[in-house]
Amino acid sequence: MVPFVYDIPTRVYFGENQLTHLGQELSRFGKSVLFVYGGGSIRKTGLYDTVMSAIRESGLHAAELSGVEPNPKVDSVRRGVELCRENDVDVILAVGGGSVLDCGKYISAAVFHDGDPWDLIEKNMPTPKTLPVVTIVTMAATGSEMDTVAVISNMEKKLKIGFNRPQLRPAVSFLDPTLTYSVSRYQTACGCADIFSHAVETYFNDKGMYMVDRFFEGIMRTVVKYASVAMEKPDDYEARANIMWAASWAINGLGRIMQPYAWSCHGLEHQLSAFYDITHGLGLAILTPRWMEHILSEDTAPRLRDLGVSVFDVDPGLPLMDGAKAAIEATKKWLFETLGLASTLTEIGIGDEHIPEMAHSAVTLGLKRAFIPLTDQDAEDIFRASL
Ligand code: NZQ
Ligand code: ZN
């Protein structure tokens, strides 16, 4: 295990009716709020009204940044920074899925930078000062509500990059599983594929993390157990609650802080999103089993086999390589049959036209530093195997 500092200061309100604490929490940080949200789901569910009431009743002023898109674009960040400056904002309230949360988190740092917000990512700048961020999560997937990352896209430059700074961790997050009842079957599946992938990326990272490995097997098993329940019965509280808490813990730092290596499938998927603007969890679902097949060797087989045994009840008595292959097959079966996600890039309209560029970009941005380091050729092979 590498040395690490455990420091996860996000205050979490978990469960139904916890939003009664929203006004009091926002008030801790000042009087002026930037309320960030997405394309309209919170208006349909009534959450918008609940939030506005809490803001008004607490005597706070709110500026609104609406229409933050999935795979949030740097243009939304630019609009948010302007609003913060015009309204002398003290605290950012991000209400939505990972895209909205990431946008709010990135704004919290960009507001203190005099130049264009994209500079922070492009020039890898420090963020000594940030505004506090409060989140209300409406979709369980990314874990952005408790982590230090904001993933922002720049479509002109064909780049989607995760910006990782301790200062980006939200100060307060509200996790009410009932707010995820309205998430569609498809987005529920994509979210669960994302959570599963976060656990896999952690599982295939530093060696010697026996305790952490068992913990992440538990996360994967939880998501596998409850994903189909939530898809069949969207208002199953137990399923939604377990998925929601698993999402936060899959990436909140417990595993991440001990990881010296870059994440592989995420590095590849961010390129797919940068070029084709696809749903993150869907891209991961297609890539993950192909990555597993690509890295399968005598060295990696024990880990894959353990995953299969612990998460999918693969027979522990199988010869090592057969056990590892059975784990990959079980992963495919869960992603493509149980969750019903598309199993190839071709199915979602992606061809081989950008594979060399995407592979090169993914490798340059980190895959050289993965647990199993990947070259441009490796990355190309994984993309082609996913077609
Ligand atoms: O925009 P609205 O109208 O709110 O609709 C959203 C959006 O269309 C909808 N939705 C969210 N909550 C809903 C709901 N619809 C009905 N009822 C609700 N309660 O779902 C759609 C997708 O939302 P989005 O926020 O894009 O999904 P997700 O949470 O999967 O976030 C994906 C983004 O997060 C990044 C991804 O790359 C992608 O950009 N990630 C962020 C990470 C982080 N911060 O640590 C790590 C992840 O690996 C990931 O890269
Ligand atoms: Zn992810």
Side-chain angles (χ1 to χ4, degrees):
M1 249 193 229
V2 298
F4 62 88
V5 175
Y6 176 88
D7 182 15
I8 304 178
T10 304
R11 179 179 294 177
V12 173
Y13 285 87
F14 192 99
E16 220 174 336
N17 300 323
Q18 293 281 30
L19 283 178
T20 47
H21 299 281
L22 179 62
Q24 135 213 347
E25 284 295 344
L26 289 170
S27 301
R28 287 206 286 138
F29 303 108
K31 285 275 168 210
S32 180
V33 182
L34 178 68
F35 176 14
V36 184
Y37 56 96
S41 70
I42 68 162
R43 283 189 185 270
K44 283 191 206 133
T45 58
L47 180 57
Y48 175 87
D49 297 330
T50 308
V51 169
M52 282 312 272
S53 301
I55 287 174
R56 268 194 296 270
E57 281 162 21
S58 306
L60 303 169
H61 161 78
E64 293 183 41
L65 173 65
S66 62
V68 173
E69 54 287 275
N71 300 324
K73 315 298 181 282
V74 69
D75 281 341
S76 295
V77 174
R78 292 181 181 124
R79 285 194 290 129
V81 167
E82 274 172 34
L83 284 168
C84 283
R85 290 182 182 151
E86 285 162 12
N87 293 277
D88 207 5
V89 162
D90 301 307
V91 54
I92 294 176
L93 172 63
V95 184
S99 295
V100 168
L101 271 50
D102 283 4
C103 185
K105 287 161 72 176
Y106 197 81
I107 293 169
S108 78
V111 72
F112 293 105
H113 171 63
D114 285 337
D116 184 58
W118 186 252
D119 292 348
L120 299 182
I121 284 181
E122 192 145 60
K123 300 178 185 158
N124 195 18
M125 296 177 75
T127 53
K129 211 170 162 203
T130 52
L131 285 174
V133 176
V134 174
T135 81
I136 302 173
V137 201
T138 61
M139 188 178 142
T142 65
S144 183
E145 63 274 10
M146 244 176 128
D147 82 7
T148 54
V149 179
V151 185
I152 302 296
S153 294
N154 185 326
M155 299 319 272
E156 291 75 42
K157 296 191 181 230
K158 297 244 178 298
L159 286 171
K160 175 179 183 181
I161 303 180
F163 188 65
N164 190 351
R165 294 287 183 276
Q167 298 86 346
L168 294 191
R169 204 188 292 279
V172 183
S173 283
F174 289 87
L175 279 67
D176 177 347
T178 66
L179 298 178
T180 66
Y181 286 173
S182 55
V183 176
S184 68
R185 204 180 150 82
Y186 167 70
Q187 286 291 349
T188 300
C190 290
C192 288
D194 189 23
I195 302 165
F196 181 83
S197 171
H198 296 162
V200 171
E201 303 273 27
T202 307
Y203 202 66
F204 288 86
N205 218 285
D206 198 11
K207 288 183 180 151
M209 302 202 299
Y210 181 88
M211 172 264 169
V212 179
D213 286 345
R214 303 293 81 76
F215 178 85
F216 277 89
E217 286 165 359
I219 298 252
M220 287 187 263
R221 205 173 166 102
T222 301
V223 177
V224 168
K225 175 178 165 69
Y226 285 111
S228 48
V229 180
M231 285 167 70
E232 288 313 315
K233 191 169 175 291
D235 60 351
D236 188 303
Y237 186 86
E238 183 179 317
R240 293 294 193 184
N242 274 280
I243 293 169
M244 187 168 238
W245 201 217
S248 299
W249 278 88
I251 197 172
N252 72 1
L254 174 74
R256 267 201 110 133
I257 43 179
M258 308 167 194
Q259 297 177 6
Y261 303 107
W263 283 13
S264 306
C265 297
H266 275 66
L268 294 167
E269 194 293 313
H270 284 172
Q271 293 310 311
L272 282 180
S273 291
F275 277 77
Y276 299 99
D277 209 1
I278 63 166
T279 304
H280 175 62
L282 174 64
L284 289 170
I286 296 171
L287 290 166
T288 300
R290 279 58 192 236
W291 169 80
M292 288 174 167
E293 283 166 339
H294 188 82
I295 57 126
L296 177 58
S297 70
E298 293 294 330
D299 273 352
T300 57
R303 225 159 244 252
L304 275 166
R305 190 265 322 267
D306 286 356
L307 185 157
V309 170
S310 312
V311 180
F312 293 111
D313 295 326
V314 163
D315 178 359
L318 285 174
L320 182 58
M321 214 29 110
D322 291 348
K325 286 181 184 160
I328 299 174
E329 285 315 305
T331 302
K332 281 186 183 168
K333 196 165 184 285
W334 178 65
L335 291 167
F336 306 138
E337 292 179 27
T338 310
L339 299 191
L341 293 169
S343 62
T344 63
L345 295 178
T346 311
E347 262 178 80
I348 57 170
I350 295 178
D352 62 1
E353 56 280 358
H354 292 301
I355 285 182
E357 293 160 82
M358 292 192 300
H360 183 66
S361 202
V363 170
T364 313
L365 287 167
L367 296 188
K368 278 185 258 190
R369 294 177 285 105
F371 182 58
I372 313 289
L374 300 179
T375 62
D376 283 25
Q377 190 58 54
D378 291 317
E380 281 195 33
D381 290 348
I382 296 167
F383 281 131
R384 285 188 204 290
S386 308
L387 283 172

